[in-house]
Amino acid sequence: QLHLVESGGGLVQPGGSLRLSCVASGFAAQIYTIGWFRQAPGKEREGVSCIRASDGSTTYTDSVKGRFTLSRDNAKNTVYLQMNSLKPEDTAVYYCAARPLVPPQQMCHSSAGVEYWGQGIQVTVSS
């Protein structure tokens, strides 16, 4: 059993920055791949960025490459999504997610295999 708690969402102007945090707790948290998905109005949920806690390997969807950075602090059981140069198109509900023993690319490709979800936090980019 794994619990995911998100924080850091909010309202920001275009070009601004936010940092999302996801704290994972529970059995064998270190074996999980952790990721961020988002769902914008009228769109399907998509993988944004995923990281394997054990080795730090990371993947990003093309639309956020160069703007978002995913990192982890294993001592704190926390992953961070630093979002810079935010655009209105980034507006969405962002969900932290976890599944065990998969490469980040596999996890971010589809939400279907995700076993644990955070509650979701709103990110709004607007002037």
Side-chain angles (χ1 to χ4, degrees):
Q1 188 174 0
L2 197 69
H3 294 89
L4 304 173
V5 180
E6 303 141 319
S7 63
L11 174 65
V12 67
Q13 293 183 332
S17 298
L18 287 172
R19 189 176 77 161
L20 306 183
S21 299
C22 176
V23 180
S25 62
F27 174 74
Q30 70 278 6
I31 73 171
Y32 283 83
T33 300
I34 308 295
W36 288 95
F37 290 72
R38 67 185 180 186
Q39 189 162 17
K43 295 186 177 181
E44 295 294 310
R45 190 171 299 186
E46 66 170 345
V48 178
S49 184
C50 296
I51 186 169
R52 187 155 57 190
S54 60
D55 64 6
S57 59
T58 308
T59 192
Y60 302 88
T61 191
D62 286 345
S63 64
V64 308
K65 288 180 179 177
R67 300 188 297 119
F68 292 8
T69 302
L70 189 66
S71 62
R72 94 285 197 199
D73 185 339
N74 287 345
K76 297 181 178 180
N77 296 315
T78 302
V79 297
Y80 306 96
L81 185 65
Q82 180 67 47
M83 305 186 295
N84 298 326
S85 302
L86 283 161
K87 304 175 181 179
E89 306 94 277
D90 297 315
T91 295
V93 177
Y94 284 70
Y95 299 88
C96 187
R99 62 183 297 191
L101 304 174
V102 298
Q105 294 85 349
Q106 182 178 342
M107 178 174 179
C108 266
H109 182 69
S110 174
S111 64
V114 173
E115 299 180 14
Y116 300 97
W117 293 97
Q119 78 280 6
I121 50 174
Q122 179 70 46
V123 171
T124 301
V125 184
S126 176
S127 59

